[in-house]
């Protein structure tokens, strides 16, 4: 077994072992650190013995060694630089993005709490019905260490694993070292790859598994088809649309010499991989609980589209334009001309401007608009090259010596078609654009295989290859690195990490048992209190009607000390019926053993059992010592303190190189601040701001509402300036709402940012 085969064998073995061990422990409700660690030690001992046996066996025929040329070193430097930058930027930042906080990371905490990865009652179906192969690399270190950073960094290893897998696949297709490293560098330095690497999202692990499946398929050996089936199962258990690889693999097997033997081994590998990874048990649970192996049919209808020629045609054209992301387009007139050209092309080719479900009046799924940004924001040069490889594959597949690269191109094309034609276009969620990362990787590997070795040896082509990699990588890497130093210098505030439940977590003591009723997309991950090592227990209330009888059953089952309603009026579940909470809240208010905890949040309702205590939010220190934009003069600190609640529209901006907060139009996109005053007093609030780019007129009216008083305070600032407000603070809690009154007339920024950026708040200071 050569080194490439060993790499993919180890990758499959580690992945299958994780799936098998968590399933076995879940059968007995024993997913705990000690049993899990024992299994890992036994597996490591077996792996060492197996590797020694492989080395003791007959050595594989070694190919002549290639010299390391300067283009190879250049591409390797770009690849290594992208990986190091990603790791350095990722390490100090906690989980704070939507998908991480409402199912990718949060379901791992529910598994640890339940001591089982099998389905549980939840408000969010995605936590229990979607494949979880990638999340096992976050679960394992968190289970053993209770440390979020450890879990995130182990999960991040999917990025280098994908880059190495792409390099080895390209080499298996006959590519030279230079072109293989160039393909891996182009993949690693794309904006989408860099962005995905900084979140708990499974696309890089999917790329690694898909490259593994392609590696064994294109080799064409009967023994390799078993591994091809295993990797297909791992890819499917990561993302369901990867099942599209199976029909293409079956077709390739039928075209080979040993058809029946290849098909039998592929089917055996697919079945074994599905069984050991957990994909088979998950499908069985879904079938029993929801009547479909893919989960609730209503959920499937939301994320997929029915076949309508006009819809598929439009989505295909949108995907082509989305992959065309020029690496260098700094001139606004040129970008505008390119955007108008793209829109004209869509119109000329009869693409439907608005697909079913899309509307200007609602944020989801969003309206597609072709945008050319500077720096590139999607795939840079790699996307255009992937399209070129796709077109070249139509003509090169008959040429001798290119069969392997053509087969890999076929796999990439099938996966690309399955994603683009089968997934609903959801602009607001960046879907399916971010899912194209894996087929782009396969097409880049194919392109490397299509390039003849003599061509690479030419000095002019070698220089062009390195220049293309540098051109594609420079602007995305530069933009991605801007917040690197700041991420390490200023930790993210606890108020931001705990959002949207920062106020709740300021009064709930660590180790609390919380019965939680949330929306379908509730960010329940912060409730586990990751910054303290996940001491809290969170019990989802599910999606059933919340009646007094239902509450009594949940109380008896979970013995909660707190009951939290994300919205005291109604809970929305998107593809399931909404639930009113009036009866449940009225019942809790009538119970003498339950007390409501007053919150400043306008919608959340928190109750505690009379036997439990709460913390004093005023005494809770902040992790960073001060808020990036909010400060109190020293002569006021003895009387006024920052509260336990800070609401901002886009928390990630608090980790930018210059401390600032963007706000938009209206209170929904404004800043909400809680303060605590020891006595009644009058203070001044000084707000420094700059006009944002979402409105051409630089004049901004900053509107401040204080403690819900009907008459807000207003200050007009033109361009850059300072607004001053006189506030009469009341003893105890005070709440401020800061927003912009004007509406925007610029909907997309040159870099593709669609946010409503009306003003940039540089500082907020309280003084006498």
């Amino acid at each position: 077994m050569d080194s490439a085969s060993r790499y993919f064998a180890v990758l499959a073995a580690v992945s299958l072992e994780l799936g098998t061990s968590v399933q076995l422990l879940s059968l007995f409700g024993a997913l705990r650190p000690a049993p899990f660690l024992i299994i890992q030690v036994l597996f490591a001992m077996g792996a060492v013995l197996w590797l020694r046996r492989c080395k003791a066996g007959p050595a594989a025929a070694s190919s002549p060694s290639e010299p390391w040329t300067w283009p190879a070193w250049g591409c390797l430097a770009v690849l290594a630089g992208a990986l190091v930058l990603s790791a350095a930027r990722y390490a100090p930042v906690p989980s704070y993005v939507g998908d991480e906080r409402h199912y990718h990371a949060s379901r791992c905490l529910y598994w640890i709490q339940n001591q089982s990865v099998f389905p549980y009652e939840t408000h969010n179906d995605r936590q229990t019905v979607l494949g979880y192969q990638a999340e096992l690399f976050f679960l394992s270190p968190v289970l053993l260490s209770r440390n979020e950073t450890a879990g995130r960094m182990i999960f991040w290893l999917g990025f280098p694993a994908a880059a190495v897998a792409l390099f080895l696949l390209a080499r298996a297709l006959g590519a030279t070292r230079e072109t293989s490293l160039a393909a891996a560098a182009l993949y690693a330095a794309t904006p989408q790859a860099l962005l995905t690497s900084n979140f708990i999202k499974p696309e890089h692990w999917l790329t690694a598994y898909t490259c593994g499946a392609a590696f064994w398929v294109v080799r064409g050996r009967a023994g390799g088809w078993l591994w091809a089936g295993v990797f297909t199962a791992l890819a499917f258990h990561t993302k369901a649309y990867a099942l599209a690889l199976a029909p293409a693999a079956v077709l390739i097997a039928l075209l080979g010499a040993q058809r029946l033997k290849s098909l039998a081994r592929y089917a055996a590998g697919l079945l074994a991989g599905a069984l050991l990874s957990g994909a088979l048990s998950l499908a069985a649970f879904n079938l029993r609980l929801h009547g479909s192996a893919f989960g609730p049919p209503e959920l499937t209808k939301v994320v997929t589209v029915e076949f309508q020629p006009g819809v598929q045609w439009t989505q295909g054209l949108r995907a082509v334009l989305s992959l065309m992301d020029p690496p260098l387009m700094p001139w606004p007139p040129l970008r505008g001309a390119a955007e108008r050209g793209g829109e004209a092309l869509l119109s000329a080719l009869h693409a439907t401007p608005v697909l079913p479900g899309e509307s200007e009046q609602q944020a989801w799924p969003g309206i597609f608009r072709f945008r050319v940004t500077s720096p590139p924001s999607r795939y840079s040069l790699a996307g255009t090259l992937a399209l070129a490889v796709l077109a070249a594959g139509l003509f090169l597949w008959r040429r001798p010596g290119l069969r392997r690269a053509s087969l890999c191109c076929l796999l990439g094309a099938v996966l690309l078609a399955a994603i683009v034609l089968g997934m609903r276009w959801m602009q607001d969620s960046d879907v399916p654009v971010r899912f194209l990362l894996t087929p782009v990787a396969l097409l880049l590997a194919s392109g490397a295989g299509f390039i003849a070795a003599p061509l690479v040896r030419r000095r002019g082509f070698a220089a062009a290859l390195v220049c293309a990699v540098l051109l594609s990588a420079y602007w995305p890497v530069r933009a991605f690195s801007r917040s690197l130093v700041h991420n390490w210098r200023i930790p993210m505030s606890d108020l931001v990490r705990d959002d949207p439940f920062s106020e709740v977590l300021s009064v709930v003591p660590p180790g609390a048992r919380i019965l939680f009723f949330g929306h379908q997309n509730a960010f329940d991950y912060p409730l586990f209190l990751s910054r303290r090592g996940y001491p809290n227990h969170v019990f989802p209330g599910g999606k059933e009607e919340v009646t007094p009888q239902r509450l009594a059953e949940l109380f008896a089952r979970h013995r909660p000390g707190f009951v939290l309603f994300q919205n005291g009026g109604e809970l929305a579940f998107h593809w399931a019926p909404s639930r009113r909470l009036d009866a449940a809240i009225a019942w809790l208010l009538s119970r003498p053993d339950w007390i409501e905890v007053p919150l400043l949040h306008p919608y959340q309702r928190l109750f505690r059992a009379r036997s439990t205590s709460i913390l004093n939010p005023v005494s809770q220190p902040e992790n960073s010592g001060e808020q990036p934009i909010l400060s109190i003069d020293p002569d006021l600190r003895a009387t006024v303190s920052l509260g336990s609640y800070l609401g901002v529209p886009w928390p990630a901006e608090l980790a930018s190189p210059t401390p600032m907060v963007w706000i938009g139009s209206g209170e929904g996109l404004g800043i909400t601040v809680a303060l605590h005053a020891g006595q009644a007093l009058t203070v001044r609030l000084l707000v420094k701001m700059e006009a944002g780019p979402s409105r051409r007129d630089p004049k901004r009216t900053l509107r401040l509402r204080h403690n819900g008083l009907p008459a807000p305070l207003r200050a007009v600032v033109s361009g850059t300036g300072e607004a001053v407000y006189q506030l009469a603070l009341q003893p105890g809690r005070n709440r401020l709402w800061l927003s912009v009154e004007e509406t925007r007339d610029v909907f997309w920024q040159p870099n593709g940012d669609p946010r409503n950026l009306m003003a940039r708040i540089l500082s907020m200071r309280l003084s006498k």
Side-chain angles (χ1 to χ4, degrees):
M1 185 178 283
D2 58 21
S3 58
S5 301
R6 283 198 296 271
Y7 173 82
F8 285 112
V10 169
L11 177 62
V14 171
S15 302
L16 291 177
E17 186 277 332
L18 286 177
T20 303
S21 59
V22 298
Q23 287 185 93
L24 287 174
L25 294 175
S26 298
L27 285 173
F28 305 99
L31 186 56
R32 297 188 296 272
F36 183 78
L37 184 60
I38 291 173
I39 292 179
Q40 305 315 304
V41 171
L42 294 176
F43 169 75
M45 294 170 59
V48 169
L49 294 175
W50 176 71
L51 289 174
R52 286 183 177 178
R53 182 179 178 183
C54 289
K55 290 182 178 180
S62 60
S63 57
S65 61
E66 296 181 34
W68 275 89
T69 60
W70 69 268
W73 283 113
C75 294
L76 179 62
V78 173
L79 172 60
L83 295 176
V84 171
L85 170 64
S86 171
R89 189 179 184 271
Y90 182 64
V93 180
S95 297
Y96 68 100
V97 173
D99 284 355
E100 294 181 305
R101 302 207 295 170
H102 68 68
Y103 79 98
H104 282 310
S106 58
R107 64 173 169 178
C108 296
L109 275 300
Y110 286 120
W111 293 337
I112 294 173
Q113 178 178 284
N114 299 334
Q115 300 183 19
S116 169
V117 297
F118 296 149
Y120 52 88
E121 187 173 38
T122 179
H123 50 273
N124 188 349
D125 290 324
R126 285 171 289 190
Q127 293 179 356
T128 58
V129 303
L130 299 183
Y132 55 78
Q133 180 61 51
E135 282 87 337
L136 295 180
F137 291 95
F138 179 75
L139 167 71
S140 304
V142 171
L143 174 65
L144 295 175
S145 68
R146 293 283 177 160
N147 184 278
E148 182 185 38
T149 301
R152 288 172 64 82
M153 292 310 299
I154 295 298
F155 187 90
W156 173 86
L157 292 176
F159 189 23
V164 172
L166 173 55
F167 169 78
L168 295 176
L169 173 60
R171 295 287 281 166
L173 300 179
T176 62
R177 179 185 286 132
E178 292 87 351
T179 53
S180 299
L181 284 170
L186 285 169
Y187 171 85
T190 60
Q192 196 65 58
L194 288 169
L195 183 65
T196 301
S197 71
N198 269 208
F199 304 122
I200 302 177
K201 292 180 180 290
E203 279 74 19
H204 287 308
W205 286 107
L206 175 64
T207 298
Y209 295 139
T210 304
C211 287
F215 175 85
W216 293 106
V217 166
V218 299
R219 283 199 159 190
R221 302 172 185 171
W225 281 100
L226 182 71
W227 286 108
V230 168
F231 274 101
T232 302
L234 290 171
F236 164 68
H237 195 31
T238 305
K239 283 287 187 181
Y241 55 74
L243 191 59
L245 293 171
V250 169
L251 175 62
I252 293 172
L254 291 174
L255 296 176
Q258 299 176 309
R259 298 170 186 165
L260 294 180
K261 184 179 292 187
S262 299
L263 281 176
R265 292 190 175 183
Y266 182 73
L270 191 62
L271 181 61
L275 177 64
L276 296 177
S277 68
L280 195 61
S281 63
L282 179 65
F285 276 117
N286 285 340
L287 191 63
R288 182 171 67 88
L289 297 174
H290 306 288
S292 168
F294 297 96
E298 297 82 5
L299 170 59
T300 304
K301 291 179 182 178
V302 168
V303 299
T304 60
V305 290
E306 297 180 357
F307 180 76
Q308 302 176 29
V311 172
Q312 272 69 35
W313 173 251
T314 298
Q315 295 203 161
L317 293 175
R318 288 181 177 182
V320 170
L321 288 180
S322 297
L323 287 173
M324 297 174 67
D325 190 21
L328 183 62
M329 191 76 73
W331 303 284
L334 191 57
R335 292 198 301 268
E339 291 172 356
R340 290 190 294 273
E343 297 291 347
L345 179 64
L346 288 175
S347 178
L349 295 176
H350 306 288
T352 305
V354 179
L355 294 177
E358 296 179 346
S359 172
E360 292 277 6
Q361 283 69 45
Q362 55 188 25
W364 187 91
I367 298 294
F368 173 80
R369 291 183 177 89
F370 175 56
R371 289 292 178 262
V372 177
T373 62
S374 180
S377 57
R378 297 184 296 274
Y379 289 95
S380 192
L381 187 60
T384 305
L385 292 177
L387 291 174
V389 172
L390 193 61
L394 298 175
F395 305 98
L396 297 177
W397 66 276
R398 287 179 176 271
R399 293 196 177 185
L402 298 182
R403 182 178 181 275
R404 287 186 173 185
S406 300
L407 294 179
C408 183
C409 186
L410 173 63
L411 292 173
V414 168
L415 187 58
L416 179 70
I419 295 170
V420 171
L421 305 182
M423 300 291 297
R424 180 184 297 277
W425 199 282
M426 296 175 278
Q427 190 73 19
D428 182 64
S429 305
D430 200 23
V431 172
V433 175
R434 62 184 170 94
F435 293 164
L436 302 182
L437 193 59
T438 299
V440 164
L442 294 179
L443 293 173
L444 288 175
S446 303
F450 284 146
I451 299 174
L455 183 62
V456 179
R457 303 304 179 201
R458 295 183 181 179
R459 182 174 301 176
F461 181 84
L465 182 70
V466 175
C467 287
V469 172
L470 291 175
L471 178 65
S472 179
Y474 175 73
W475 292 106
V477 168
R478 180 183 176 185
F480 192 70
S481 63
R482 286 175 181 169
S483 62
L484 174 62
V485 175
H486 188 83
N487 286 353
W488 285 93
R489 186 169 61 88
I490 301 181
M492 185 173 289
S493 165
D494 290 347
L495 294 178
V496 177
R497 292 184 65 171
D498 296 343
D499 185 69
F501 301 111
S502 55
E503 186 179 11
V504 170
L505 292 173
S506 71
V507 297
V508 171
R513 301 175 65 86
I514 305 171
L515 177 59
F516 175 61
F517 294 91
H519 296 300
Q520 170 265 330
N521 59 348
F523 293 167
D524 47 358
Y525 177 75
L527 292 174
F528 289 95
L529 207 58
S530 61
R531 55 187 169 84
R532 295 285 190 90
Y534 307 104
N536 290 350
H537 299 268
V538 183
F539 307 100
K543 299 186 298 180
E544 296 183 15
E545 192 72 40
V546 188
T547 63
Q549 294 77 17
R550 168 89 175 139
L551 275 178
E553 293 174 3
L554 293 173
F555 286 176
R557 186 189 314 168
H558 300 304
R559 306 185 311 281
F562 296 87
V563 180
L564 173 61
F565 299 93
Q566 186 178 8
N567 188 310
E570 185 177 65
L571 297 178
F573 300 111
H574 200 160
W575 48 81
S578 300
R579 300 298 186 189
R580 295 291 306 175
L581 299 173
D582 307 276
I585 290 180
W587 182 74
L588 277 173
L589 290 171
S590 68
R591 293 284 301 267
D593 52 341
W594 284 91
I595 304 170
E596 182 168 12
V597 179
L599 298 178
L600 292 171
H601 195 283
Y603 306 116
Q604 295 172 9
R605 303 286 294 271
L606 177 66
F607 293 83
R608 69 175 179 89
R610 189 174 292 275
S611 58
T612 62
S613 60
I614 61 173
L615 301 174
N616 178 7
V618 183
S619 65
Q620 299 308 302
E622 291 300 321
N623 66 338
S624 59
E626 60 177 351
Q627 291 302 312
I629 62 162
L630 184 59
S631 63
I632 300 174
D633 282 358
D635 55 353
L636 275 178
R637 290 177 184 172
T639 309
V640 182
S641 61
L642 298 178
S644 57
Y645 182 77
L646 172 67
V648 293
W650 299 287
E653 297 297 336
L654 290 178
S656 60
T658 303
M660 65 177 185
V661 170
W662 287 108
I663 63 174
S665 303
E667 287 187 359
L669 293 178
I671 296 177
T672 308
V673 178
L675 300 170
H676 293 266
Q679 63 187 40
L681 75 162
T682 301
V683 299
R684 291 195 311 161
L685 176 66
L686 296 86
V687 180
K688 289 184 178 181
M689 62 142 282
E690 292 179 358
S694 290
R695 185 177 175 86
R696 296 180 178 88
D697 186 349
K699 187 183 73 173
R700 299 288 184 270
T701 303
L702 283 181
R703 181 178 186 270
L704 184 74
R705 192 158 60 89
H706 174 217
N707 285 348
L709 298 177
L713 305 174
R714 290 179 173 85
V716 178
V717 178
S718 183
T720 302
E722 185 175 68
V724 182
Y725 304 93
Q726 293 284 341
L727 302 178
L729 298 183
Q730 65 186 19
R733 294 187 179 188
N734 293 264
R735 192 174 184 191
L736 311 176
W737 292 264
L738 180 69
S739 59
V740 175
E741 286 196 345
E742 288 82 8
T743 58
R744 67 173 173 172
D745 54 20
V746 177
F747 294 89
W748 290 84
Q749 304 309 317
N751 64 354
D753 194 337
R755 292 178 296 169
N756 185 348
L757 306 178
M758 291 296 295
R760 182 167 67 168
I761 306 301
L762 302 176
S763 68
M764 299 172 65
R765 183 167 64 90
L766 280 176
S767 68
K768 285 188 175 180

